[in-house]
Amino acid sequence: MKTYKALEKQFRRISAVNGALAMLGWDQSTMMPEGGARARSEQIATLSVLRHEWITDARLGDQLNEAATQTDKLDDWQRANLREMQRQWRHATALTPKLVEARSKATMACEMVWRKARRDDDFKAFARAFLPVLELTREVAAAKSAAFGLGAYDALLDEYEPGGRSASIDKLFADLGSFLPDFIDRALVKQGKRPAPLPLPGPFPTEAQREVGLKLMKALGFDFNRGRLDVSLHPFTGGIPDDVRITTRYSEDDFTKALMGVLHETGHALYELGLPKVWRDQPVGEARGMVLHESQSLLVEMQVCRGAEFLKFAAPLLRKAFKGGGEAWSEANLLRIYARVKPDLIRVDADEVTYPAHVMLRYRLEQAMLHDHLPLDDLPYAWNDGMQTLLGVDVPSYAQGCMQDIHWAVGSIGYFPTYTLGALSAAQLFAAAKTQDGGILPGIAKGDFKPLLRWLRANVHAKGARLTTDELLREATGKPLSTAAFKAHLKARYLS
Amino acid sequence: MKTYKALEKQFRRISAVNGALAMLGWDQSTMMPEGGARARSEQIATLSVLRHEWITDARLGDQLNEAATQTDKLDDWQRANLREMQRQWRHATALTPKLVEARSKATMACEMVWRKARRDDDFKAFARAFLPVLELTREVAAAKSAAFGLGAYDALLDEYEPGGRSASIDKLFADLGSFLPDFIDRALVKQGKRPAPLPLPGPFPTEAQREVGLKLMKALGFDFNRGRLDVSLHPFTGGIPDDVRITTRYSEDDFTKALMGVLHETGHALYELGLPKVWRDQPVGEARGMVLHESQSLLVEMQVCRGAEFLKFAAPLLRKAFKGGGEAWSEANLLRIYARVKPDLIRVDADEVTYPAHVMLRYRLEQAMLHDHLPLDDLPYAWNDGMQTLLGVDVPSYAQGCMQDIHWAVGSIGYFPTYTLGALSAAQLFAAAKTQDGGILPGIAKGDFKPLLRWLRANVHAKGARLTTDELLREATGKPLSTAAFKAHLKARYLS
């Protein structure tokens, strides 16, 4: 018990450094003037190196081994906490400091090149900077693969989604892959028979957009005593569980994207805000992984806020906020706007029906790149071919094609599938929630999100990282993750 | 040289932690929701302990000793940098970790008690929490006194003002003390013969106040690519030289205080922004000490912005910003508002004529408390007596008396005299600047602050911590610090 308690103390220090890093990152994206960039990257690098030193400390390894022999005195949460500590230690010690540093330098350099190359649509420049990142990512995968006894791709995936395995993903994606092409066609035919959405006339002052966003966040249960809403170029959820910082980006021509972005990040934030308070600053008190995190943002955005019940509640608020009236501002028209299917080029702008195609393509290509089955020069052809096959769209530029996302540039191979696993989980969780509590849907229509939040708190948020994603989904929904609920949701929303 | 370079590397890491701490502190006062407080204090404590560990590291001490035997290969700046490293090391190692921790806990506890006790006007409660802080401050003073071979008070003072000594302060304060009482009387008589300032009718929307503040900051030379203006309960200058964050606090009834607060902090910010760029992240690249820092804020606020030339330039901007007109908005009336003398209770609201009295009283009392010549129970009587003698005001409450400032509550004994030394330095520096460059005053009247900033950059800002305060003042003004320029300034502004 003494060893375990010493470990808790050390991980509390690590958590404080993580929290400081989270705040420095948030500030960098929201508040920092450009001139602060050099010093900020020094601060972040210094604290990141320090964290890595602390977490790979040999004494910590000894303590972890010792504590592992004395688990009979620990309760379930403590045992799970120890397991999560071991997990973090394993991931950190799998890599030599030299590899960590080389990767960090290569990805920072590549990110900068990517920003410029995307602007200039210059694939050659990107590929030159990305090749070393790819090679170092292969080294990381090899090192972790050897340390964990996993395949190379799974060893990377495990960082974002603990316990995530490509064998399961392959099955789920095969299922989706045989369902979606036909479904997209049917949804488009159905959509074509309905009137097109009427445009909403702007401009929409930023302040009014912010006000209505705050109002809806509050209604959903966001605690402003423990968080904020700000502006950044790319929306994200940052901070720590007692100080969650979400961001959005306003356009005065169109409020619909920024607003749905706020609601999406609110889903992430509610997860953080609902993590178990007694396990603050410990690994087991953190969110489980990217699949469940994405499930929470997509549950709020896709399952709830783009649905009829929510729009029934929100439509009058939106009309009031933006002084709108008439048919264009009706619930029915808002629903048509918010459930529009359109096969297109850009993943982050995609609707929920076509989104999985974007992910499946990336999943296939990043595996091929990792295993050296796809020469980097051939990436654009493979990409464009995939987009044509999956969504029937012609890719007119690298910037709107294989260079659109930041993930690969910063070495995040193994991240993309978590988006679609999150979407499947969101559908499965929301279906179970509605079945288990008949008050959830009527509540949403009235703007009362307490029943929904209560269910999410009890079944997802308050679990922290105690269970694996699979265990949590089985406990909450009675089933392992499948495509059934997602497909049923799509059919109900787009074919009926 | 190798040892010296290794030291630079280690101090660069320390500087990164300092920078992270500065940002966390700024965020805490400007952005952080209340719920984030616990985690933030963990973050700050963790990084503060780490910094103390790094700076008291035995190997660092060895390297400092070794480098000190090889100074012949160093240039002036490097030698000064080594001296500043030694200074930081001496201050940190003078205290045992146990004493550092005890003081940190006692001051945090006392600060919280002080906030409540001041609200409740409860001196007994404050005294109970302050007594351990005072005793620990005596221990700190004794430890540093032994380590530095200085008197107890000087050992504390040296932390805020390197090289500052009470023997010099005593002389300057004796001089001021014999000058001011009579001067205040004469200034009040003179003021009584002039018309009273006409009130400026509000309200003044916060946004308009912010806009005009930004405009004046820009005119003075604040670089918004390396800094920001925000709101906090107590105005301050935070951040780092390439990312300076100043704050103010708006009242819609009265713009004059917030605006002058912005200009005061701008003076601090210009110092930070002007520190030598090639010495970033090194001790010699930091500001010299609190006396010169305060001299820069007071030079901008008191010497420049409350003066006739500045108000000639600013009056039309203010009339435009607040849609003001008529006699109340004339330069002459603004000057009467901004150069009003009024002996009163609160230091932070005091004019420049009566301000030194507030400081001299605190200087006398904090020495008496430190040397145990003044029992804590007698502090209010001594305070009230001093206020009556020095300024002729009756103190109606502890909150408006000896409990008004945070300094003692957090153990900052030895800080107060730097305010008045800063005021004297500001007057002496501005007098020299005007003599050396005849374009400075006419520039100010036209809103062209380049000549002034050029002089300050060359003679103060760009020196970093290379010279002592005394050396810098002698080089810049040809004289050691005296009261002469300050007295001449007061006579010119208040008796002519």
Side-chain angles (χ1 to χ4, degrees):
Chain A
M1 202 65 181
K2 219 179 103 194
T3 310
Y4 171 79
K5 283 292 170 191
L7 284 166
E8 276 200 352
K9 198 172 161 195
Q10 184 58 2
F11 275 88
R12 196 166 293 122
R13 282 175 82 201
I14 292 167
S15 170
V17 172
N18 281 333
L21 280 165
M23 299 318 304
L24 293 171
W26 171 85
D27 183 89
Q28 181 168 30
S29 300
T30 54
M31 299 287 157
M32 190 185 80
E34 226 175 279
R38 187 203 55 85
R40 181 59 50 87
S41 64
E42 283 280 335
Q43 293 157 13
I44 289 176
T46 300
L47 295 189
S48 301
V49 167
L50 174 75
R51 173 175 57 182
H52 194 254
E53 281 170 13
W54 282 358
I55 217 164
T56 57
D57 186 70
R59 222 177 114 240
L60 187 75
D62 294 343
Q63 288 175 314
L64 284 168
N65 287 335
E66 198 185 319
T69 66
Q70 308 163 346
T71 55
D72 50 315
K73 280 168 206 142
L74 304 181
D75 68 21
D76 278 2
W77 278 93
Q78 291 169 327
R79 255 195 295 273
N81 197 28
L82 183 60
R83 181 197 67 211
E84 294 303 313
M85 291 171 176
Q86 287 162 331
R87 202 184 98 69
Q88 293 194 11
W89 188 82
R90 266 203 313 272
H91 268 279
T93 51
L95 308 181
T96 62
K98 210 179 132 195
L99 180 53
V100 170
E101 198 190 334
R103 180 179 55 169
S104 164
K105 280 190 182 160
T107 56
M108 276 199 286
C110 185
E111 182 181 343
M112 280 177 57
V113 170
W114 169 75
R115 287 193 193 287
K116 187 175 181 317
R118 188 170 72 153
R119 226 167 25 236
D120 304 342
D121 202 34
D122 182 350
F123 180 74
K124 280 223 163 80
F126 168 70
R128 259 195 311 276
F130 177 57
L131 189 60
V133 170
L134 180 59
E135 282 165 355
L136 287 163
T137 306
R138 284 187 196 126
E139 277 188 51
V140 169
K144 291 195 170 181
S145 171
F148 309 160
L150 289 175
Y153 187 82
D154 285 356
L156 294 178
L157 171 63
D158 193 81
E159 194 177 317
Y160 311 110
E161 176 53 19
R165 299 293 174 259
S166 48
S168 329
I169 300 175
D170 289 343
K171 276 183 213 141
L172 294 165
F173 281 13
D175 183 342
L176 271 187
S178 68
F179 167 80
L180 280 176
D182 179 54
F183 181 83
I184 293 172
D185 289 344
R186 287 166 64 201
L188 287 172
V189 168
K190 183 95 188 169
Q191 182 172 272
K193 288 184 187 154
R194 284 194 298 258
L198 299 167
L200 294 173
F204 307 101
T206 297
E207 199 39 50
Q209 292 191 52
R210 182 176 150 79
E211 283 306 315
V212 78
L214 292 172
K215 199 173 282 180
L216 292 173
M217 284 168 73
K218 193 156 194 237
L220 279 159
F222 188 97
D223 176 1
F224 284 95
N225 190 35
R226 293 197 286 137
R228 299 175 48 96
L229 167 65
D230 294 277
V231 171
S232 69
L233 195 57
H234 300 285
F236 69 98
T237 295
I240 55 173
D242 282 324
D243 187 358
V244 181
R245 312 262 175 123
I246 75 171
T247 70
T248 191
R249 178 189 181 180
Y250 300 105
S251 153
E252 300 222 323
D253 298 329
D254 176 10
F255 73 87
T256 61
K257 276 191 193 174
L259 183 67
M260 209 42 81
V262 166
L263 297 168
H264 179 95
E265 302 304 333
T266 298
H268 282 303
L270 291 175
Y271 189 8
E272 292 286 317
L273 290 164
L275 289 168
K277 209 174 169 83
V278 291
W279 289 100
R280 282 284 186 277
D281 306 338
Q282 292 299 318
V284 78
E286 295 170 15
R288 172 62 285 176
M290 289 321 301
V291 168
L292 281 177
H293 232 306
E294 202 61 23
S295 84
Q296 295 308 289
S297 56
L298 291 175
L299 191 150
V300 169
E301 180 193 349
M302 295 295 177
Q303 299 291 320
V304 174
C305 295
R306 290 181 188 259
E309 288 78 11
F310 180 83
L311 290 170
K312 186 175 172 178
F313 154 66
L317 291 179
L318 297 176
R319 286 194 290 266
K320 198 174 158 214
F322 301 119
K323 304 185 175 63
E327 176 57 19
W329 290 86
S330 67
E331 281 163 56
N333 191 54
L334 288 168
L335 197 54
R336 283 197 291 272
I337 289 171
Y338 272 132
R340 187 91 186 145
V341 179
K342 186 170 185 294
D344 215 332
L345 295 162
I346 305 297
R347 176 184 60 85
V348 294
D349 295 332
D351 58 82
E352 63 181 329
V353 181
T354 58
Y355 201 109
H358 293 271
V359 168
M360 289 190 282
L361 173 63
R362 286 156 176 79
Y363 175 65
R364 178 159 58 78
L365 296 181
E366 68 184 12
Q367 284 180 307
M369 285 193 292
L370 183 70
H371 297 125
D372 211 359
H373 298 155
L374 174 67
L376 198 42
D377 287 347
D378 292 347
L379 174 62
Y381 308 103
W383 182 284
N384 298 358
D385 187 55
M387 287 300 284
Q388 184 53 253
T389 307
L390 287 165
L391 291 172
V393 294
D394 282 325
V395 179
S397 69
Y398 304 113
Q400 291 165 287
C402 64
M403 276 166 61
Q404 66 182 265
D405 294 310
I406 193 173
H407 302 60
W408 291 341
V410 298
S412 288
I413 285 182
Y415 191 107
F416 281 120
T418 67
Y419 291 118
T420 290
L421 297 177
L424 301 182
S425 305
Q428 189 163 323
L429 287 166
F430 193 53
K434 286 184 294 186
T435 308
Q436 291 169 34
D437 183 347
I440 287 178
L441 268 192
I444 292 171
K446 287 181 302 185
D448 175 11
F449 299 90
K450 282 196 201 75
L452 172 66
L453 189 58
R454 201 181 307 129
W455 193 92
L456 292 173
R457 285 276 184 266
N459 289 281
V460 183
H461 306 171
K463 307 283 188 191
R466 190 169 69 81
L467 307 174
T468 66
T469 302
D470 186 52
E471 287 167 349
L472 186 144
L473 286 172
R474 281 174 196 265
E475 282 197 11
T477 71
K479 294 177 283 238
L481 183 61
S482 85
T483 59
F486 183 68
K487 290 196 279 193
H489 160 71
L490 293 188
K491 283 180 197 156
R493 182 170 287 171
Y494 297 94
L495 296 187
S496 72
Chain B
M1 202 65 180
K2 219 179 105 195
T3 310
Y4 170 80
K5 283 291 170 192
L7 284 165
E8 276 198 351
K9 197 171 163 197
Q10 183 57 3
F11 274 88
R12 195 166 294 123
R13 282 175 82 199
I14 294 168
S15 171
V17 172
N18 281 333
L21 280 164
M23 298 318 305
L24 293 171
W26 172 85
D27 184 89
Q28 181 167 31
S29 300
T30 54
M31 299 287 157
M32 189 185 80
E34 227 176 278
R38 186 203 56 83
R40 181 59 49 88
S41 64
E42 284 279 335
Q43 293 157 12
I44 288 176
T46 301
L47 295 189
S48 301
V49 167
L50 174 75
R51 173 176 57 182
H52 193 254
E53 280 170 13
W54 281 359
I55 217 165
T56 56
D57 186 70
R59 220 176 115 240
L60 187 76
D62 295 342
Q63 288 175 314
L64 284 168
N65 288 334
E66 197 185 318
T69 65
Q70 307 163 346
T71 54
D72 49 315
K73 279 168 208 143
L74 305 181
D75 67 22
D76 279 2
W77 278 93
Q78 290 169 327
R79 255 196 295 272
N81 197 29
L82 183 60
R83 181 197 66 210
E84 294 304 312
M85 291 171 177
Q86 288 162 332
R87 203 184 97 69
Q88 293 194 11
W89 189 81
R90 267 203 313 271
H91 268 279
T93 52
L95 309 181
T96 63
K98 210 179 132 194
L99 180 53
V100 170
E101 198 190 336
R103 179 179 57 168
S104 164
K105 281 190 181 159
T107 56
M108 275 199 285
C110 185
E111 182 181 342
M112 281 177 58
V113 171
W114 168 76
R115 288 194 192 285
K116 187 176 181 318
R118 188 170 73 153
R119 224 165 27 234
D120 304 342
D121 203 33
D122 183 349
F123 180 74
K124 279 222 164 80
F126 167 69
R128 259 196 310 277
F130 178 57
L131 190 60
V133 170
L134 180 59
E135 283 165 354
L136 287 162
T137 307
R138 283 188 195 124
E139 277 188 53
V140 169
K144 291 195 170 180
S145 171
F148 309 160
L150 289 174
Y153 187 83
D154 284 356
L156 295 177
L157 171 63
D158 193 82
E159 195 177 317
Y160 310 111
E161 176 53 18
R165 299 292 174 259
S166 48
S168 329
I169 301 176
D170 289 342
K171 276 183 213 141
L172 294 166
F173 281 13
D175 183 343
L176 272 187
S178 68
F179 167 80
L180 279 176
D182 179 54
F183 182 84
I184 294 171
D185 289 344
R186 287 165 65 200
L188 288 172
V189 168
K190 184 95 189 170
Q191 182 172 272
K193 289 183 186 153
R194 284 195 298 257
L198 300 167
L200 294 174
F204 306 100
T206 296
E207 200 38 49
Q209 292 191 52
R210 183 176 148 80
E211 284 305 316
V212 77
L214 292 172
K215 199 173 282 181
L216 292 173
M217 285 168 73
K218 192 155 195 237
L220 279 158
F222 188 97
D223 176 0
F224 284 95
N225 190 34
R226 293 196 287 138
R228 300 176 47 96
L229 167 66
D230 294 277
V231 170
S232 70
L233 196 56
H234 300 285
F236 69 97
T237 296
I240 54 171
D242 283 324
D243 186 358
V244 181
R245 312 264 175 121
I246 76 171
T247 71
T248 191
R249 178 189 181 180
Y250 300 105
S251 153
E252 300 222 323
D253 298 328
D254 176 10
F255 73 86
T256 60
K257 277 190 194 175
L259 183 66
M260 210 41 82
V262 166
L263 297 168
H264 179 96
E265 302 304 333
T266 298
H268 282 303
L270 292 175
Y271 189 8
E272 293 286 318
L273 290 164
L275 289 168
K277 207 170 171 84
V278 290
W279 289 99
R280 282 284 186 277
D281 306 338
Q282 292 299 317
V284 77
E286 295 171 14
R288 172 63 284 177
M290 290 320 300
V291 168
L292 282 177
H293 231 306
E294 202 61 23
S295 84
Q296 295 309 289
S297 55
L298 292 175
L299 191 151
V300 169
E301 179 193 350
M302 294 296 176
Q303 299 291 320
V304 173
C305 296
R306 290 180 189 259
E309 287 78 12
F310 180 82
L311 290 170
K312 185 173 173 180
F313 155 66
L317 292 180
L318 297 175
R319 285 194 291 267
K320 197 173 158 212
F322 302 120
K323 303 186 176 65
E327 177 56 20
W329 290 87
S330 67
E331 281 163 55
N333 191 54
L334 288 168
L335 197 54
R336 285 197 290 272
I337 289 171
Y338 272 132
R340 187 91 185 145
V341 179
K342 187 168 184 293
D344 216 332
L345 295 162
I346 305 299
R347 177 185 60 83
V348 295
D349 293 333
D351 57 81
E352 64 181 328
V353 182
T354 58
Y355 201 110
H358 292 272
V359 168
M360 289 189 282
L361 173 63
R362 286 157 176 78
Y363 176 63
R364 180 159 57 79
L365 297 180
E366 69 183 12
Q367 284 180 307
M369 285 194 292
L370 183 70
H371 297 125
D372 212 359
H373 299 156
L374 174 68
L376 198 42
D377 288 347
D378 292 347
L379 174 63
Y381 308 103
W383 182 285
N384 298 358
D385 186 55
M387 286 301 284
Q388 184 52 252
T389 308
L390 287 165
L391 291 172
V393 294
D394 283 324
V395 179
S397 70
Y398 304 113
Q400 292 166 286
C402 63
M403 276 166 60
Q404 66 182 265
D405 294 310
I406 194 174
H407 302 60
W408 291 340
V410 298
S412 287
I413 285 181
Y415 191 106
F416 281 121
T418 67
Y419 292 119
T420 290
L421 297 176
L424 301 183
S425 305
Q428 189 164 323
L429 287 166
F430 192 52
K434 285 185 295 186
T435 307
Q436 290 169 33
D437 183 346
I440 288 178
L441 268 192
I444 292 172
K446 288 181 301 186
D448 175 11
F449 299 91
K450 283 197 201 75
L452 172 66
L453 189 58
R454 201 181 308 131
W455 193 91
L456 292 173
R457 285 275 184 265
N459 289 280
V460 183
H461 306 171
K463 307 282 188 191
R466 189 169 68 81
L467 307 174
T468 67
T469 302
D470 185 52
E471 285 167 350
L472 186 145
L473 286 172
R474 281 174 197 264
E475 281 197 11
T477 71
K479 293 178 285 238
L481 184 61
S482 86
T483 60
F486 183 67
K487 291 198 279 192
H489 160 71
L490 293 188
K491 283 180 196 157
R493 181 169 288 172
Y494 297 94
L495 295 188
S496 70

